[in-house]
Amino acid sequence: MATIRFLDQGIEVEVPLGTSVLEAAQKSHAPEGSACGGVCACSTCHVYVEKGAELLSEASEKEEDILDKAFDVRMSSRLGCQARVQKEGLVELRISKESLDAFYNEHPDLPRP
């Protein structure tokens, strides 16, 4: 098992190896966007990995191409739908503003903090 911690939301979830960051967000009700349904066709699940990047799968060329279209890309940027936990440990991340905006646009019934 691995632990994914969404720093700004104070949410932590344990997940089995092979789980994507987006799946962990959905399991724990963290507000991560997923306009394309998690098929690497948009950048609405954009996150910043602050700790534990070495526990995640490598970014594919397709993921990097999609990130080229994202806003505020950093060295720690990943797409939540593509970043899968491959080793046990702790992954800490922040959900990008782009992703938060997408989530609340997708869920207008939820109050935005």
Side-chain angles (χ1 to χ4, degrees):
M1 296 291 277
T3 302
I4 297 183
R5 183 178 295 152
F6 298 89
L7 294 168
D8 295 327
Q9 290 73 31
I11 296 172
E12 188 171 293
V13 61
E14 279 197 28
V15 295
L17 298 184
T19 303
S20 73
V21 168
L22 179 59
E23 291 166 340
Q26 292 168 338
K27 176 181 178 182
S28 64
H29 305 288
E32 184 176 357
S34 61
C36 74
V39 297
C40 197
C42 70
S43 59
T44 59
C45 62
H46 180 195
V47 297
Y48 306 114
V49 180
E50 300 216 348
K51 180 180 179 182
E54 70 281 359
L55 306 177
L56 301 174
S57 58
E58 293 286 324
S60 68
E61 190 173 319
K62 182 175 181 180
E63 177 182 355
E64 290 175 356
D65 288 346
I66 296 295
L67 278 170
D68 284 343
K69 301 170 189 168
F71 298 102
D72 195 20
V73 175
R74 304 174 187 172
M75 292 298 295
S76 62
S77 289
R78 291 297 306 271
L79 295 180
C81 69
Q82 298 300 297
R84 292 194 172 276
V85 179
Q86 293 190 318
K87 298 176 186 171
E88 293 182 2
L90 173 65
V91 177
E92 292 182 336
L93 53 86
R94 296 187 190 281
I95 300 171
S96 70
K97 181 180 181 321
E98 173 184 21
S99 185
L100 290 169
D101 288 345
F103 178 85
Y104 288 108
N105 286 338
E106 294 163 14
H107 301 90
D109 52 313
L110 295 178
R112 188 172 184 143

